[in-house]
Amino acid sequence: ETKIITEHNDNMEYNEDALLLIQPATSGRASCKGCREKIMKGEHRVGMQIWSSGRQIMVWHHPLCFLQTAVRVEKLVKNSRAACKYSGRSKFTTGDLRLVLEVGLTKNYYYAPIAIDPMLSPVFRIIGENSKEGDGEDEIPTPNSLKGMDELEVKDRDILLKALSSSNILKK
């Protein structure tokens, strides 16, 4: 069936392995890493590659669980040697806004002003579509509800909200 790989800007070099996989579940066997419940066949799920037991594996989340348990934003207080998984931009510096996707012991870092829209807009879109069909949660998350957003200064929040709203699918 339909498979959405998180979007990207065609004018920018990006790492395809860093993208998330969003698709209807092909069976009912996979469990959500957030809530530990089964993801029913046909239900949308978000897949992320992680390192486990010496190899890369795909872990799955319900879209809402993904936003609530695996995603956070932060402003760096000191330099970091980590590179952006999406753009390949090397090293983060003090003051950079960073998107962190964390599942288990795997942490993937992204330069937030560039990566937040292509990585998260499709997830917000799926949640919005599910809620219109009546099979989503009662409360639809907003970008302001992302972990760490409340700890950012207003100007930093505005940068991320502007980047996310550039896809015209989100309301501030």
Side-chain angles (χ1 to χ4, degrees), residues 6-7 12 14-21 47-50 56 66 70-76 80 82-93 96-103 106-120 160:
T6 48
E7 301 158 353
M12 185 175 73
Y14 70 97
N15 175 7
E16 193 168 312
D17 293 335
L19 301 177
L20 302 171
L21 180 62
M48 180 177 141
Q49 290 279 340
I50 69 163
Q56 289 282 337
F66 179 76
V71 177
R72 73 179 153 84
V73 292
E74 64 186 15
K75 184 172 184 170
L76 269 91
S80 167
C84 174
K85 293 266 298 186
Y86 178 77
S87 68
R89 178 181 189 255
S90 63
K91 298 181 184 174
F92 290 95
T93 58
D96 281 349
L97 295 173
R98 192 161 71 169
L99 172 66
V100 182
L101 302 183
E102 184 174 0
V103 177
T106 299
K107 289 182 187 176
N108 293 333
Y109 300 104
Y110 303 88
Y111 181 62
I114 293 172
I116 196 165
D117 184 51
M119 298 299 290
L120 297 186
L160 298 183

Side-chain angles (χ1 to χ4, degrees), residues 122-140:
V123 180
F124 278 106
R125 186 179 307 119
I126 289 295
I127 292 170
E129 288 171 5
N130 288 346
S131 70
K132 288 177 190 165
E133 295 168 7
D135 57 353
E137 297 292 319
D138 292 338
E139 193 173 312
I140 300 173

Side-chain angles (χ1 to χ4, degrees), residues 49-57 106:
Q49 290 279 340
I50 69 163
W51 188 255
S52 178
S53 303
R55 62 190 173 99
Q56 289 282 337
I57 64 167
T106 299

